[in-house]
Amino acid sequence: MQPYAPVPLSKATTLLNHGPVTLVSSAHGGARNVMAASWAMPLDFTPPKVAVVIDSRTLTRKLVEGSGEFVLNIPARGLAEATLAVGSRSGEEGDKFSELGLRTFQGEQVAAPLLEGCVAWLECRVLPEPHNQQRYDLFLAEVIAAWADPRVFANGRWRFEDGALRTMHYVAGGDFFATGESFKVSDAID
Amino acid sequence: MQPYAPVPLSKATTLLNHGPVTLVSSAHGGARNVMAASWAMPLDFTPPKVAVVIDSRTLTRKLVEGSGEFVLNIPARGLAEATLAVGSRSGEEGDKFSELGLRTFQGEQVAAPLLEGCVAWLECRVLPEPHNQQRYDLFLAEVIAAWADPRVFANGRWRFEDGALRTMHYVAGGDFFATGESFKVSDAID
């Protein structure tokens, strides 16, 4: 069973701030889908908002535009193969969840499913901006609920220990970086 | 002397795809500035575009709006203290470059300076979108020139070896992650 715990909305952007690859899940009218998105970032702290690019040719785009909702799932390294796979096939051709053996659970605010094997989940409601969506494939959204795996995110901070639970950063062509060692800096330069 | 080499525009988004922290440099009317921005991401491949959040209360905002240009610098770990410092003080109070001993060089397309100690540089021209800028502090821009340190980026790929030249991912409160180990995945799931 996937461990998860609520994250205060005031800490929601911290889940995404380090630039990990994300999986966008969506559901509408009896259909559901999941795709990979590296082009996602925080947009504001309070209320928390995010920006994400969703290509107009995808099933995800139809489901997000239809429902006005999505979930940004942040996959752990154990989901690397699935992350590449959901990014390189279309949901129009079949249900990726069943094809790839991906298990899901439900959040509290949106119908889109949350993926097991991820370590954070941002339930998002689209802020309708038709010009951005049509011209740039750019979606802005408010985060209305957030969750994280308490093994690696607690008290508002990431604490990675187990390699399989680290987040990932996507480059291109199947190349990823793991999130590396943490270090702290103080503003002591004069 | 900072080594740098041109990056084809077709590979420009690869410099930013893994979600590293960036430094936004700007220049206008005899003033210049640099600030940290974690909220930056690719927006399109061809021509390459980026999105970045620039707070309305910053000097950078004035210089970017005045000039219509900026540079996204991607700092190496050796610049971690400076990255935090330029993110926590205002350019209105004094020239951060001289205060922090930051050296710069000039690119080819924009007046904004390129920072030494970084490993990639994206020269950007703002795509004017007043609604996004005023409502969300969100700037969209086209990348019109790109450069990278050939010690860590060559033939369109990052190849980090030296720890001091790795890129960084910012969390909050002075906490960073280094970009970690690379790994390759193939879409072999059936």
Side-chain angles (χ1 to χ4, degrees):
Chain A
M1 180 57 193
Q2 170 74 57
Y4 67 104
V7 172
L9 287 177
S10 61
K11 293 291 184 183
T13 60
T14 305
L15 300 171
L16 190 59
N17 208 79
H18 65 299
V21 66
T22 72
L23 298 173
V24 181
S25 58
S26 53
H28 184 62
R32 61 180 185 166
N33 199 30
V34 57
M35 60 166 252
S38 284
W39 299 359
M41 68 176 185
L43 180 66
D44 204 354
F45 289 110
T46 310
K49 300 188 185 82
V50 297
V52 59
V53 176
I54 301 175
D55 193 296
S56 61
R57 297 163 296 185
T58 61
L59 175 59
T60 294
R61 177 69 169 261
K62 294 176 191 171
L63 302 182
V64 170
E65 290 192 326
S67 64
E69 301 172 348
F70 60 87
V71 173
L72 281 187
N73 306 262
I74 301 182
R77 185 165 174 175
L79 275 188
E81 289 198 342
T83 298
L84 188 70
V86 302
S88 51
R89 58 185 72 191
S90 168
E92 305 275 16
E93 295 160 7
D95 183 79
K96 295 186 204 177
F97 299 92
S98 53
E99 285 179 0
L100 299 169
L102 298 173
R103 296 168 59 160
T104 64
F105 59 106
Q106 282 305 124
E108 285 193 351
Q109 296 291 331
V110 306
L114 281 59
L115 259 76
E116 293 195 14
C118 291
V119 288
W121 303 265
L122 305 175
E123 296 186 54
C124 298
R125 181 176 295 145
V126 172
L127 298 164
E129 291 286 356
H131 172 72
N132 285 334
Q133 295 167 206
Q134 290 160 24
R135 184 174 182 111
Y136 299 109
D137 293 342
L138 177 64
F139 284 72
L140 311 184
E142 183 173 337
V143 182
I144 53 179
W147 310 89
D149 186 325
R151 293 174 293 177
V152 291
F153 189 89
N155 301 318
R157 295 188 59 180
W158 288 110
R159 296 174 190 278
F160 295 118
E161 292 180 12
D162 180 341
L165 290 180
R166 286 186 173 267
T167 53
M168 306 179 285
H169 307 267
Y170 188 60
V171 186
D175 289 325
F176 292 80
F177 293 113
T179 300
E181 61 171 334
S182 64
F183 59 96
K184 191 171 185 72
V185 169
S186 59
D187 184 3
I189 298 177
D190 280 319
Chain B
M1 179 57 193
Q2 170 74 57
Y4 67 104
V7 172
L9 286 178
S10 62
K11 293 292 184 183
T13 60
T14 305
L15 300 171
L16 190 60
N17 208 80
H18 65 300
V21 66
T22 72
L23 298 173
V24 180
S25 57
S26 52
H28 185 60
R32 61 179 184 166
N33 199 30
V34 57
M35 61 167 249
S38 284
W39 298 0
M41 69 176 184
L43 181 67
D44 204 354
F45 289 110
T46 309
K49 299 188 186 83
V50 296
V52 59
V53 176
I54 301 176
D55 193 295
S56 62
R57 296 162 297 183
T58 62
L59 174 59
T60 294
R61 177 68 169 263
K62 294 177 191 170
L63 302 182
V64 169
E65 290 192 326
S67 64
E69 300 172 347
F70 61 86
V71 172
L72 281 186
N73 306 262
I74 301 181
R77 185 164 174 176
L79 275 188
E81 289 199 343
T83 298
L84 188 70
V86 302
S88 51
R89 58 185 73 191
S90 168
E92 305 276 15
E93 296 159 8
D95 184 79
K96 295 187 204 176
F97 300 92
S98 53
E99 285 178 0
L100 299 168
L102 298 173
R103 296 167 61 159
T104 65
F105 59 106
Q106 283 304 123
E108 284 192 350
Q109 297 291 330
V110 307
L114 281 59
L115 259 76
E116 292 195 14
C118 291
V119 288
W121 303 264
L122 306 174
E123 297 187 52
C124 299
R125 181 176 296 145
V126 172
L127 298 163
E129 292 286 357
H131 173 71
N132 285 333
Q133 296 166 207
Q134 289 160 23
R135 186 174 181 110
Y136 299 108
D137 294 341
L138 177 64
F139 284 73
L140 311 183
E142 183 174 338
V143 181
I144 53 178
W147 310 89
D149 185 324
R151 293 175 293 177
V152 291
F153 190 89
N155 301 316
R157 295 189 57 181
W158 288 110
R159 295 174 190 281
F160 295 117
E161 291 180 10
D162 180 341
L165 291 180
R166 286 185 173 268
T167 53
M168 306 177 286
H169 307 267
Y170 188 61
V171 186
D175 289 326
F176 292 80
F177 293 113
T179 300
E181 62 171 333
S182 64
F183 59 96
K184 192 172 184 72
V185 168
S186 59
D187 184 4
I189 299 177
D190 278 320

